[in-house]
Amino acid sequence: DAKTTQPTSMDCAEGRAANLPCNHSTISGNEYVYWYRQIHSQGPQYIIHGLKNNETNEMASLIITEDRKSSTLILPHATLRDTAVYYCIVRVASNAGNMLTFGGGTRLMVKP
Amino acid sequence: GAGVSQSPRYKVAKRGQDVALRCDPISGHVSLFWYQQALGQGPEFLTYFQNEAQLDKSGLPSDRFFAERPEGSVSTLKIQRTQQEDSAVYLCASSRTGTRAGEQYFGPGTRLTVT
């Protein structure tokens, strides 16, 4: 799986949009971009994934650049409960046995 | 519906003891993964089951680690002769197959402390 690079930490004001970047310049054509987050003392939680089109669900939006070498996870109105470590992962979607390879992630602190 | 559950949530073991950690995946999920998470690090893959078959155990750190899923549902991770370096959170995850295989559902983890 391709390696990803994320900032170590970010702050965001409550109610504002949180934009979390991820670089994955060596991504292959069949690899998807996945985002997970891990709130303190909990297991990781799936957020969203995409291949090349932008995606949106009830939790977040995912913007992938046209060359697919980077992406941004957007939490449109961050709340204190969004404070967590956010992981950007690339993997082949349909391979059931393909484990998730977590890097260091971005520690997002949402402040009042 | 019910998510992935793990037990115990916390386990303290003296060095040299054997421990067994249990995972109950989401009903119907074919794939089951175990991960190890050291303090301040991201989770690291240990092993993978598809139904009852252990298809990948490349992440198990030593032959003291053993995992099983005999009936294709509940899984147990066993660590023999625990060492201090085994102290970590052990996470279990399950998923469907096909194009949603990357959506893994994690349990809360078992925090193992070896003294």
Side-chain angles (χ1 to χ4, degrees), chain A residues 32 34 36 38 40-46 49 87 91-104 107, chain B residues 9 31 33 35 37 41-43 45 48 50 56 58 91 95-104 106-108 111:
Chain A
Y32 286 64
Y34 285 80
Y36 280 74
Q38 187 171 25
H40 184 63
S41 295
Q42 297 183 20
Q45 176 190 23
Y46 165 81
H49 76 282
Y87 296 99
R91 76 185 290 281
V92 177
S94 61
N95 187 341
N98 206 351
M99 78 291 282
L100 298 171
T101 302
F102 293 84
R107 186 171 299 276
Chain B
R9 290 293 315 276
S31 298
F33 299 81
Y35 294 84
Q37 186 171 25
Q41 306 292 319
F45 169 78
Y48 159 68
Q50 184 171 319
D56 188 346
S58 62
L91 294 159
S95 73
R96 303 175 182 88
T97 56
T99 57
R100 299 191 68 177
E103 298 173 34
Q104 295 186 14
F106 284 78
R111 181 177 297 278

Side-chain angles (χ1 to χ4, degrees), chain A residues 37 40 109:
Chain A
R37 73 178 182 184
H40 184 63
M109 179 75 70

Side-chain angles (χ1 to χ4, degrees), chain B residues 54-98:
Chain B
Q54 188 175 19
L55 299 185
D56 188 346
K57 51 183 181 179
S58 62
L60 296 177
S62 79
D63 58 8
R64 296 185 295 104
F65 287 70
F66 171 77
E68 60 183 6
R69 193 186 184 198
E71 298 179 356
S73 55
V74 171
S75 177
T76 304
L77 176 67
K78 298 179 179 178
I79 308 173
Q80 297 177 325
R81 304 180 304 280
T82 53
Q83 303 294 316
Q84 284 192 317
E85 62 262 29
D86 300 334
S87 295
V89 174
Y90 290 85
L91 294 159
C92 174
S94 68
S95 73
R96 303 175 182 88
T97 56

